[in-house]
Amino acid sequence: AGGDLLNYVRKRKKLDEEEAKVLFKQIIQGLGYIHKKRILHRDIKLDNILLDGKGRVKIADFSAAYIG
């Protein structure tokens, strides 16, 4: 519903520090979770970070992931 983070940032030109902190924290928590499950994403970029309707981060595109 919210699209990807690349378009989100482009639309706003820049993010204020508080909003960036919230998004970055969610990304780090998500990566921490998948790493605990022994999954390495290997293609983290703004296009692969999605936002749901409430602005929560969803990590997408695990096609290049390594599962160990």
Side-chain angles (χ1 to χ4, degrees):
D4 64 48
L5 193 53
L6 179 63
N7 288 321
Y8 184 81
V9 171
R10 280 183 177 162
K11 190 185 300 184
R12 285 159 183 73
K13 305 278 192 247
K14 68 177 188 173
L15 302 178
D16 66 41
E17 186 174 344
E18 285 306 310
E19 185 176 19
K21 282 182 186 180
V22 169
L23 292 171
F24 189 68
K25 181 179 179 183
Q26 290 181 53
I27 294 166
I28 296 302
Q29 288 174 330
L31 291 174
Y33 176 79
I34 65 172
H35 286 177
K36 284 181 187 173
K37 300 292 184 180
R38 301 187 55 79
I39 300 169
L40 300 177
H41 191 284
R42 299 198 314 181
D43 194 23
I44 293 296
K45 57 187 177 185
L46 295 179
D47 308 60
N48 292 336
I49 306 296
L50 306 179
L51 300 171
D52 70 7
K54 295 182 179 179
R56 293 178 298 218
V57 164
K58 306 293 180 190
I59 300 172
D61 192 3
F62 286 80
S63 61
Y66 171 79
I67 302 172

